[in-house]
Amino acid sequence: MKKEDFPPDFLWGVATASYQIEGAYNEDGKGESIWDRFAHTPGTIADGSTGDVACDHYHRCKEDIELMKELNINSYRFSVSWPRIFPCGRDNVNKKGLDFYKSLIEELLKNNIKPMLTLYHWDLPQHLQFHGGWVNPETSKAFVDYAVTLFEEFNGLVDLWITFNEPWCISFLSHQMGKHAPGIEDYPTALKVAHNLLTAHGETVKVFKERGFSGKIGIVLNLSPVHSFTDSPEDREAANFMDCYKNRWFLDPLFKGTYPEELFQVFVNNFGDFTRGYQDISGASEKMDFLGINYYSRDVVQYDGGEILKAKSVTVEAERTDMGWEIYPEGLREIVSKVHKEYGAIPLYITENGAALKDELKNGEVHDWQRIEFLKNHFKSAYQAIQSGVDLRGYFIWTLMDDFEWECGYTKKFGLFHVDYDNNLQRIWKDSAKWLREFLGNKVSLE
Ligand code: BGC
């Protein structure tokens, strides 16, 4: 199976996020983000690092686009740093921030690489956090204004727009578990955040359509197939709750305008407060053009009598990446097929998929054959989904180069390119990048 066996207009790309690669954290008028503040707080990041410099993509953007061109990709998914555009989150626009993204987009177009722009990949302006962040509905309003500023500025240049990256992480990982900025551990807060995000998404889609901007708009969810550890009724019920929590808490509002009833009741029983003002999620289901899915692994779940979900993930015997995530390529086909079947035939993109591995640089080379295997098997799974009738339109690998991996700092390596932090951040082709170049050039097959 070769690249030419995929649909001719299929998008093959790489994905990145502003805070993870740009650096230049306080340059050209950029305001502070919640990730600047979080990473600078001792004890939050595994290696004590920050994204202050990261891959310095802000200054090396042209060089990085050249690498993309050489990789033979035809699309690039990146995110805009909101505080570069509005240092305080709203009101005064920072022209230099707009200029940076404009030149990035123009350079991509010049190289026939289609931009896919994510409006929010987690770097909220810290100023808005001072006023409650995503718990405050004013943040949702500020988001819509920020989105419209970019729609107006890049109308006709950007064809694919994404409102949010992974609302599950923004709400639960960041506000219930406190692992990501702003580091809050409060369940009801996480539920309010999810609600406000989903509402802001719906409102943004509505404005985009009403104002007749060109291009298409969607959202990105991180989804995993959830499997029950045994066939017992308890385990199966636990798997259903985990599915509601990880997947359906976002899918149902977006496509049906309602929360999954069984989990909603659990939250109402546990957090009475949630019932006041946070029931009606119909505003989230404004019709969008596509759904992006970030697929990394599956979840195997067992009953555990816990208070809220009564479910816990179990570690089964399997090959795993350096994140500890099970390598499970067939889950890609499974999750896109499930969405296609249960939520209608909306165009889908795999907006992230990739593997963190213990790559080693030796004599200027990185022999990451496991990443090549990983990609081959996931590409095959995508191909099978397309063959079975799923409207899958593109595939974005996470990620272009080793970067700041959030709470893991620089300890986890997902890149196709190695970044030599000891040698002026030089980008080095890993074997996987060389393989991808050949595959996308139709020179090698997946066998
Ligand atoms: C995020 C990326 C992240 C990747 C690997 C996704 O959840 O969107 O920003 O780096 O997973 O952890």
Side-chain angles (χ1 to χ4, degrees):
M1 186 187 310
K2 281 183 129 178
K3 182 217 164 193
E4 60 196 358
D5 295 321
F6 283 77
D9 50 357
F10 198 74
L11 295 186
W12 290 100
V14 291
T16 65
S18 46
Y19 188 72
Q20 296 183 270
I21 60 167
E22 284 180 2
Y25 80 113
N26 60 359
E27 281 181 47
D28 289 344
K30 177 182 166 290
E32 188 186 14
S33 80
I34 56 172
W35 267 95
D36 290 312
R37 172 117 349 179
F38 188 72
H40 277 264
T41 307
T44 54
I45 311 297
D47 56 2
S49 65
T50 70
D52 289 3
V53 178
C55 308
D56 197 29
H57 171 75
Y58 188 76
H59 296 116
R60 299 170 193 229
C61 162
K62 275 201 169 175
E63 179 195 332
D64 290 336
I65 294 175
E66 253 164 55
L67 296 178
M68 294 178 207
K69 180 81 194 157
E70 285 178 50
L71 272 180
N72 288 322
I73 59 174
N74 61 7
S75 190
Y76 174 48
R77 173 176 175 234
F78 64 97
S79 79
V80 170
S81 156
W82 182 351
R84 258 192 221 293
I85 310 298
F86 289 102
C88 290
R90 62 198 323 166
D91 300 330
N92 296 319
V93 71
N94 175 32
K95 173 116 185 1
K96 286 192 171 169
L98 286 175
D99 289 347
F100 168 69
Y101 293 107
K102 183 142 203 193
S103 66
L104 167 75
I105 292 165
E106 284 174 349
E107 192 65 22
L108 289 169
L109 294 172
K110 215 162 78 191
N111 285 287
N112 293 320
I113 299 173
K114 195 185 181 90
M116 180 186 257
L117 188 157
T118 308
L119 291 160
Y120 189 82
H121 201 128
W122 308 352
D123 38 3
L124 183 76
Q126 177 63 35
H127 191 77
L128 296 180
Q129 192 62 42
F130 288 139
H131 296 275
W134 285 110
V135 183
N136 185 346
E138 284 300 310
T139 297
S140 304
K141 291 191 193 149
F143 176 78
V144 179
D145 292 345
Y146 153 67
V148 169
T149 304
L150 295 189
F151 295 156
E152 287 172 343
E153 191 70 20
F154 303 138
N155 191 36
L157 296 177
V158 171
D159 191 35
L160 295 167
W161 295 88
I162 288 164
T163 52
F164 292 96
N165 179 69
E166 303 189 347
W168 184 86
C169 292
I170 305 168
S171 40
F172 295 114
L173 194 64
S174 312
H175 292 84
Q176 176 214 332
M177 302 173 192
K179 291 197 178 164
H180 280 187
I184 292 169
E185 288 179 57
D186 184 62
Y187 225 127
T189 299
L191 296 174
K192 291 176 186 171
V193 167
H195 192 94
N196 290 343
L197 282 179
L198 286 163
T199 311
H201 159 81
E203 189 54 31
T204 309
V205 173
K206 191 163 163 221
V207 175
F208 185 84
K209 299 282 174 195
E210 278 174 0
R211 299 258 323 253
F213 291 111
S214 71
K216 309 232 179 301
I217 190 161
I219 194 169
V220 164
L221 302 181
N222 50 312
L223 300 177
S224 317
V226 180
H227 294 164
S228 163
F229 183 54
T230 71
D231 239 357
S232 73
E234 290 80 15
D235 280 0
R236 278 196 282 154
E237 196 191 343
N240 180 47
F241 272 107
M242 190 64 95
D243 184 40
C244 287
Y245 170 70
K246 289 240 171 117
N247 303 321
R248 287 181 54 205
W249 198 253
F250 302 95
L251 283 166
D252 283 17
L254 290 167
F255 290 99
K256 301 177 180 165
T258 53
Y259 285 118
E261 187 55 30
E262 55 270 56
L263 187 57
F264 187 81
Q265 276 316 318
V266 172
F267 287 149
V268 168
N269 296 342
N270 282 276
F271 317 114
D273 184 38
F274 179 62
T275 57
R276 286 192 285 276
Y278 288 89
Q279 282 171 324
D280 179 7
I281 195 60
S282 55
S285 61
E286 204 63 41
K287 196 170 180 318
M288 55 186 175
D289 301 306
F290 66 88
L291 176 71
I293 298 176
N294 291 353
Y295 173 72
Y296 285 95
S297 191
R298 69 164 171 169
D299 207 356
V300 181
V301 169
Q302 198 178 30
Y303 175 77
D304 92 329
E307 264 182 29
I308 297 169
L309 278 184
K310 301 184 170 43
K312 67 168 183 208
S313 299
V314 267
T315 308
V316 293
E317 189 67 34
E319 206 189 333
R320 291 177 185 275
T321 67
D322 196 30
M323 298 296 279
W325 300 342
E326 179 182 354
I327 300 180
Y328 192 72
E330 51 273 49
L332 189 150
R333 185 195 46 73
E334 185 181 332
I335 197 70
V336 294
S337 307
K338 191 171 150 84
V339 170
H340 177 81
K341 192 162 142 235
E342 291 174 13
Y343 296 92
I346 186 165
L348 302 175
Y349 292 91
I350 294 295
T351 34
E352 283 181 34
N353 172 254
L357 297 171
K358 289 200 185 305
D359 298 324
E360 274 181 56
L361 177 68
K362 271 193 203 141
N363 306 322
E365 305 204 322
V366 180
H367 301 306
D368 57 338
W369 60 268
Q370 301 100 317
R371 187 170 285 107
I372 300 176
E373 280 308 299
F374 181 98
L375 291 175
K376 277 185 180 174
N377 290 331
H378 285 79
F379 288 3
K380 283 185 201 162
S381 190
Y383 180 78
Q384 286 162 5
I386 298 170
Q387 289 306 99
S388 73
V390 176
D391 190 4
L392 183 64
R393 303 212 176 167
Y395 197 117
F396 294 77
I397 295 167
W398 187 267
T399 178
L400 177 66
M401 55 194 155
D402 295 340
D403 63 0
F404 176 82
E405 277 297 328
W406 307 114
E407 77 277 27
C408 304
Y410 298 94
T411 63
K412 300 292 175 209
K413 298 177 185 306
F414 275 92
L416 292 165
F417 288 88
H418 173 89
V419 174
D420 196 345
Y421 293 100
D422 302 326
N423 187 14
N424 191 31
L425 302 173
Q426 203 195 332
R427 279 71 164 137
I428 294 167
W429 287 76
K430 297 185 190 176
D431 285 357
S432 58
K434 295 179 190 167
W435 173 81
L436 185 69
R437 178 182 60 192
E438 301 297 290
F439 173 73
L440 295 181
N442 246 319
K443 295 197 177 116
V444 295
S445 74
L446 295 180
E447 273 74 48

